[in-house]
């Protein structure tokens, strides 16, 4: 049984002090449960304050929103895997469509970042998904499998045991227009089949695959109703205490807790 994961990607929102206030308020909502894993991905500048606000012994996890593939060096403005680990991160989001579209990240670059994350014991959340034009052209499967093939190239099943994949249709991110549950399920099945064909049935069965793209308290239950969907990568709705707490509560309800 795969434990559901609800991850909140704050993107470029909240200062360090705003982040600490937010987390204190979030904790008061009693959002934690052994049945659902919760991860917060604040900006780099707020990681330390969020870690402190979460406190020691909390089951809420911490994620970076990106990393550089080298451990250190002359890379002005970049953040490495050892830096994230030192700040208490367990996870890192890689290959987000905004990184691909706005910053020109290619699959080979994402593969190097994945390798760096795994080398340092960070659990990658790899984002894949198609644009509206690609979906309308019937290329969804081609795009998703191409991103997986490039991003996971050369990695072993043992390495990928730490991997989570997030299916995020680009046309649904920040638009308020989520994919339908049926569309999401088909793409999740495509991802799982790819893992089975290229690595193993065991890896395909154990890898968590999240849905992301305009996830809200109003629609999250329709996605989590499917056994194919193991949680959500939440964007805008994770920036308000009430909406993120509602999403985590609905995820717990799915598991009967």
């Amino acid at each position: 049984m795969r434990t559901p994961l609800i991850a909140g990607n704050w993107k470029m929102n909240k200062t360090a002090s705003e982040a600490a206030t937010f987390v204190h308020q979030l904790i008061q909502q009693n959002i934690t449960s052994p049945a659902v894993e919760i991860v917060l991905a604040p900006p780099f500048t707020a990681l330390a304050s969020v870690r402190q606000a979460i406190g020691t012994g909390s089951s809420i996890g911490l994620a970076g929103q990106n990393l550089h593939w080298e451990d250190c060096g002359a890379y002005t403005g970049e953040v490495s895997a050892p830096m994230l680990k030192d700040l208490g991160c367990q996870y890192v989001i890689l290959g987000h469509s905004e990184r691909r579209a706005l910053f020109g990240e290619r699959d080979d670059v994402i593969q190097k970042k994945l390798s760096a994350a795994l080398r340092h014991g960070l659990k990658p959340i790899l984002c894949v998904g198609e644009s509206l034009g690609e979906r309308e052209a019937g290329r969804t499967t081609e795009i998703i499998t191409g991103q997986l093939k490039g991003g996971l190239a050369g990695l072993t099943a043992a390495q990928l045991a730490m991997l989570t994949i997030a299916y995020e249709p680009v046309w649904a991110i920040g638009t308020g227009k989520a994919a339908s549950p049926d569309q999401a399920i088909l793409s999740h099945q495509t991802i799982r089949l790819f893992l089975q064909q290229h690595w193993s049935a065991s890896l395909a069965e154990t890898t968590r695959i999240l849905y992301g793209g305009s996830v809200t308290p109003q629609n999250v239950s329709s996605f989590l109703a499917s056994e194919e969907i193991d949680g959500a990568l939440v964007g805008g709705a994770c920036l308000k205490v009430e909406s993120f707490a509602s999403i985590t509560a609905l995820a717990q309800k799915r598991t009967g807790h």
Side-chain angles (χ1 to χ4, degrees):
M1 181 70 178
R2 298 181 296 268
T3 302
L5 171 63
I6 303 295
N9 178 15
W10 295 9
K11 307 187 180 183
M12 196 175 71
N13 292 288
K14 299 190 187 301
T15 62
S17 54
E18 289 170 344
T21 300
F22 176 91
V23 172
H24 287 306
Q25 293 173 350
L26 189 64
I27 289 171
Q28 290 172 3
Q29 300 292 317
N30 296 316
I31 63 169
T32 57
S33 159
V36 177
E37 190 173 357
I38 297 168
V39 171
L40 303 178
F44 294 136
T45 54
L47 282 168
S49 65
V50 169
R51 180 191 186 185
Q52 184 174 13
I54 290 172
T56 57
S58 173
S59 60
I60 298 174
L62 198 60
Q65 295 181 16
N66 185 32
L67 56 68
H68 193 273
W69 59 85
E70 294 290 351
D71 292 354
C72 59
Y75 303 99
T76 301
E78 293 294 324
V79 172
S80 70
M83 292 173 181
L84 294 182
K85 285 286 287 186
D86 188 62
L87 283 168
C89 289
Q90 298 98 6
Y91 286 86
V92 61
I93 299 170
L94 296 173
H96 192 281
S97 67
E98 290 159 2
R99 299 297 312 176
R100 295 176 190 265
L102 300 177
F103 302 98
E105 289 192 6
R106 304 180 310 274
D107 291 327
D108 59 336
V109 169
I110 294 164
Q111 192 277 344
K112 290 197 290 185
K113 293 185 174 192
L114 269 163
S115 296
L118 293 168
R119 191 167 64 247
H120 290 282
L122 285 168
K123 302 173 186 176
I125 301 174
L126 172 64
C127 301
V128 298
E130 81 286 3
S131 68
L132 182 59
E134 289 161 347
R135 170 164 283 276
E136 290 178 342
R139 299 180 61 208
T140 298
T141 297
E142 173 195 342
I143 296 300
I144 292 172
T145 56
Q147 290 171 343
L148 290 170
K149 188 175 182 179
L152 304 179
L155 299 174
T156 66
Q159 288 175 300
L160 296 183
M162 295 176 66
L163 177 70
T164 296
I165 297 173
Y167 168 61
E168 290 203 307
V170 179
W171 47 273
I173 298 171
T175 64
K177 180 183 178 182
S180 71
D182 286 346
Q183 288 173 323
I185 288 166
L186 283 172
S187 292
H188 281 232
Q189 289 172 337
T190 296
I191 294 167
R192 218 171 283 287
L193 179 62
F194 182 89
L195 294 176
Q196 179 181 326
Q197 291 175 335
H198 290 79
W199 282 274
S200 70
S202 174
L203 182 68
E205 176 60 30
T206 55
T207 300
R208 288 188 291 196
I209 306 175
L210 316 179
Y211 171 74
S214 296
V215 175
T216 67
Q218 290 71 40
N219 66 20
V220 70
S221 292
S222 65
F223 294 109
L224 297 180
S226 169
E227 292 185 358
E228 291 286 346
I229 300 176
D230 302 313
L233 181 56
V234 186
C238 78
L239 296 174
K240 295 182 179 178
V241 170
E242 296 78 10
S243 61
F244 191 64
S246 294
I247 288 171
T248 60
L250 289 164
Q252 291 166 18
K253 189 176 180 181
R254 164 195 160 171
T255 65
H257 290 72

